[in-house]
Amino acid sequence: MPTLLSLFVLAPDDAAPLAGGAAGMKRSDGGPTAPARILVVEDNRIVARDIQRQLRHVGYEVVGTAVSGEEAVRLALATRPDLVLMDISLEGAMDGIDAARVIGASCPVVFLTAYADDETVYRAGQSAPFGYLLKPFDEIQLRTSIEIALRRHEAENRVRRAASQHAATLASLSDALIATDEAGRVTFLNPAAEALTGWVRADAADRALEEVLGAGLAPSDGPTTIVGRDGRRTRIRHCSALVRDEDGGITGSVLILRELPDEDPVVPALSDGGRGRANQDLLVTMADGISQPLMAIVTNAASCLRWLQAGNMNVEEAFRAVERIVTDGHRVGDLVSNIRTFAQAAPPNLADFDLQETILEAIARLRHEPARIAVSWETAFDLRSRWALGDRGQIAGVLHELVVTGLGALGPSARAGTVAFRTCPDASEGVVVGIATFGASRPDFEPIRPPSPIDCPGLGGIGMAICRSTIEAHGGRLWSGPGTADGTSVYFSLPGATARDHGETHA
């Protein structure tokens, strides 16, 4: 006869994860898969034996059988099975639904029952089971129910572990973090936000953001003064991001607030007298560059937690949010690595070096790096600008960063790109290097022009800021050129070589 199969989900926290395979559980040491361990709870001994036979036939391990709810709870705690097959009508005072409410905290439960009346189904649903299989059922239906339950349990555990880790990350941020709902009412403060505002999370919940901050925030990310619960006034800089649902609707926002000193710090000027403010701007750029992926992590973590809420659970969407968190986490790691490199960098060791050879070596290294798109390379060298004055190692790092940044600007939909290098002399007896990165639309790349005020728009990002600082330390300049819908161009200048003749290299 036709069998009605309905699947619900129980959300336990710490069962062993399932590997691929019909009845396999992945070992933590990476070894061969072990059969899933099943506890059978059935008060009809004949039916219990038949279920055990079917389970063993398809490759599962039966860790025990129970005939009452009390015995089921005891065996579940003792054997820690991967899944419990639970009859609803059992011997003793505790039925299967009551037992599932207890056992469900440690492993998934699938009900096997002959009852499908509204009251029983409603009670079973309240215990959030992983499945509801009506008797009689065949071996294929039993196996399918178990596999779906195990796989979903694995996915939910992965998402919950990631959500827990990121919740701990948010709590450990040194910057203050505040989340609000779509009406602008506070839903979350991390410890740094509690210290900054004087509000504890429980007291701030459901209050308007303006009330918690003691002031409204300016639309820009410029300095703003907030007033704490104790009346203390604090200057802060902030950035924010909207949280959206799958349809693009706004469901809330996340803000990161950084406390500023009472007065802007004085950055000592360098020997050339013109770099102190530039270094201060660079530090701000670095801080903002890290805040952007952190904000993305916070936003995706908030989305992940929302998708895991009872009544709104969507494991697939939560898993996508976790994947985006991992990507942004790698971005933060790369940014911190760039900052560390910049902080450890010594002043450039200026000497004549072969610029053309340095570019070719950079291309050779980049060819061997993994890339998400296919890249082709073009070069056009002017022999008059083959040699330059600079630190060869630092210039090689600048070339690498400019290419990686240009390729990253092509967008996620790009499948192929071209990187073109050009060199030429400039009007001050120095050299100019141009790098164009583009997809199908080539930027207006020639002639290479020296920088002028209108040709020097601000270049964003930590990597670009470090490149600009490095080039300026060489006495050169970095600027962007014309772009297209899918292409960018960037240029930098360096002093010319001190020696007028480098022998055969100019031939």
Side-chain angles (χ1 to χ4, degrees), residues 173-325:
L173 285 177
S174 59
D175 287 337
L177 184 146
I178 302 176
T180 71
D181 61 16
E182 65 274 16
R185 297 190 173 276
V186 173
T187 58
F188 174 83
L189 286 83
N190 71 344
E194 292 181 331
L196 181 65
T197 64
W199 289 85
V200 296
R201 180 178 177 183
D203 291 344
D206 294 327
R207 295 182 183 269
L209 178 65
E210 291 78 7
E211 180 182 357
V212 173
L213 297 181
L217 292 177
S220 68
D221 64 350
T224 301
T225 298
I226 64 173
V227 181
R229 194 176 189 180
D230 58 0
R232 182 172 65 95
R233 301 175 66 85
T234 307
R235 295 176 70 246
I236 59 103
R237 182 185 294 274
H238 77 280
C239 55
S240 61
L242 297 176
V243 180
R244 299 182 182 272
D245 59 22
E246 66 277 13
D247 299 320
I250 297 174
T251 61
S253 64
V254 181
L255 299 93
I256 290 181
L257 300 89
R258 180 177 301 118
E259 183 174 357
L260 298 176
D262 291 336
E263 298 293 339
D264 290 336
V266 177
V267 180
L270 301 183
S271 58
D272 62 4
R275 297 285 302 285
R277 180 63 187 176
N279 273 5
Q280 185 176 351
D281 291 342
L282 177 58
L283 292 175
V284 172
T285 301
M286 290 178 175
D288 290 343
I290 290 180
S291 293
Q292 291 172 6
L294 280 179
M295 182 62 68
I297 289 174
V298 170
T299 301
N300 284 309
S303 297
C304 179
L305 293 173
R306 180 168 54 83
W307 285 122
L308 291 176
Q309 290 175 353
N312 190 39
M313 186 171 292
N314 189 321
V315 176
E316 185 177 351
E317 290 291 345
F319 193 74
R320 290 198 190 101
V322 171
E323 288 179 326
R324 292 192 294 269
I325 289 171

Side-chain angles (χ1 to χ4, degrees), residues 3 77 87 109 129 136 141 157 172 179 185 269 299 314 403 428-429 453 497:
T3 301
L77 293 175
D87 190 12
V109 174
Q141 292 168 334
N157 274 344
S172 65
R185 297 190 173 276
T299 301
N314 189 321
V403 171
S428 61
E429 298 186 349

Side-chain angles (χ1 to χ4, degrees), residues 41-399:
V41 184
E42 170 62 62
D43 63 344
N44 186 313
R45 272 71 172 177
I46 297 176
V47 174
R49 283 196 298 269
D50 186 57
I51 292 174
Q52 293 179 64
R53 179 191 58 77
Q54 293 183 63
L55 291 173
R56 294 189 177 106
H57 182 258
V58 295
Y60 297 112
E61 177 186 350
V62 178
V63 298
T65 60
V67 297
S68 68
E70 294 83 358
E71 185 182 12
V73 171
R74 181 180 59 78
L75 283 177
L77 293 175
T79 63
R80 298 190 62 80
D82 300 314
L83 183 139
V84 176
L85 294 177
M86 179 79 72
D87 190 12
I88 291 180
S89 179
L90 299 172
E91 296 179 3
M94 178 183 287
D95 68 4
I97 296 174
D98 292 332
R101 290 194 178 101
V102 179
I103 296 173
S106 59
C107 73
V109 174
V110 173
F111 285 123
L112 305 180
T113 181
Y115 297 96
D117 59 279
D118 292 344
E119 182 181 354
T120 301
V121 172
Y122 176 79
R123 285 189 63 226
Q126 291 299 302
S127 68
F130 235 109
Y132 196 95
L133 183 59
L134 285 178
K135 301 175 182 177
F137 49 81
D138 59 29
E139 188 175 284
I140 295 177
Q141 292 168 334
L142 177 62
R143 175 177 171 180
T144 300
S145 298
I146 292 173
E147 287 303 308
I148 291 176
L150 289 172
R151 291 181 185 278
R152 185 164 183 179
H153 179 231
E154 174 205 8
E156 290 188 359
N157 274 344
R158 288 204 311 267
V159 171
R160 279 187 170 78
R161 284 193 294 269
S164 176
Q165 291 169 358
H166 291 296
T169 300
L170 299 183
S172 65
L173 285 177
S174 59
D175 287 337
L177 184 146
I178 302 176
T180 71
D181 61 16
E182 65 274 16
R185 297 190 173 276
V186 173
T187 58
F188 174 83
L189 286 83
N190 71 344
E194 292 181 331
L196 181 65
T197 64
W199 289 85
V200 296
R201 180 178 177 183
D203 291 344
D206 294 327
R207 295 182 183 269
L209 178 65
E210 291 78 7
E211 180 182 357
V212 173
L213 297 181
L217 292 177
S220 68
D221 64 350
T224 301
T225 298
I226 64 173
V227 181
R229 194 176 189 180
D230 58 0
R232 182 172 65 95
R233 301 175 66 85
T234 307
R235 295 176 70 246
I236 59 103
R237 182 185 294 274
H238 77 280
C239 55
S240 61
L242 297 176
V243 180
R244 299 182 182 272
D245 59 22
E246 66 277 13
D247 299 320
I250 297 174
T251 61
S253 64
V254 181
L255 299 93
I256 290 181
L257 300 89
R258 180 177 301 118
E259 183 174 357
L260 298 176
D262 291 336
E263 298 293 339
D264 290 336
V266 177
V267 180
L270 301 183
S271 58
D272 62 4
R275 297 285 302 285
R277 180 63 187 176
N279 273 5
Q280 185 176 351
D281 291 342
L282 177 58
L283 292 175
V284 172
T285 301
M286 290 178 175
D288 290 343
I290 290 180
S291 293
Q292 291 172 6
L294 280 179
M295 182 62 68
I297 289 174
V298 170
T299 301
N300 284 309
S303 297
C304 179
L305 293 173
R306 180 168 54 83
W307 285 122
L308 291 176
Q309 290 175 353
N312 190 39
M313 186 171 292
N314 189 321
V315 176
E316 185 177 351
E317 290 291 345
F319 193 74
R320 290 198 190 101
V322 171
E323 288 179 326
R324 292 192 294 269
I325 289 171
V326 171
T327 299
D328 288 316
H330 288 308
R331 284 180 58 201
V332 173
D334 292 341
L335 293 173
V336 171
S337 178
N338 282 338
I339 293 173
R340 183 182 296 111
T341 299
F342 174 75
Q344 294 174 346
N349 182 18
L350 301 180
D352 289 357
F353 73 100
D354 190 331
L355 179 60
Q356 176 178 318
E357 183 179 271
T358 303
I359 293 174
L360 293 175
E361 289 177 351
I363 293 174
R365 286 194 298 271
L366 286 160
R367 286 182 187 274
H368 289 89
E369 291 188 3
R372 65 177 179 83
I373 63 173
V375 180
S376 58
W377 306 86
E378 298 179 1
T379 57
F381 298 126
D382 187 320
L383 289 180
R384 295 172 297 171
S385 57
R386 177 164 186 169
W387 289 81
L389 177 66
D391 186 312
R392 180 168 182 159
Q394 292 188 12
I395 298 304
V398 168
L399 293 169

Side-chain angles (χ1 to χ4, degrees), residues 378 406-407 410 416-420 436-443 484 486-488:
E378 298 179 1
L407 291 174
L410 293 181
T418 300
V419 179
T437 309
F438 54 92
S441 179
R442 180 185 295 266
T484 65
D486 66 343
T488 59

Side-chain angles (χ1 to χ4, degrees), residues 424-497:
C424 73
D426 68 10
S428 61
E429 298 186 349
V431 299
V432 173
V433 177
I435 305 173
T437 309
F438 54 92
S441 179
R442 180 185 295 266
D444 180 13
F445 197 46
E446 294 183 9
I448 297 177
R449 298 172 295 169
S452 63
I454 62 171
D455 291 327
C456 300
L459 298 173
I462 293 178
M464 295 296 284
I466 293 175
C467 288
R468 180 165 51 199
S469 179
T470 301
I471 294 300
E472 289 175 354
H474 282 71
R477 298 186 69 180
L478 175 70
W479 70 99
S480 61
T484 65
D486 66 343
T488 59
S489 61
V490 64
Y491 307 87
F492 66 87
S493 62
L494 291 171

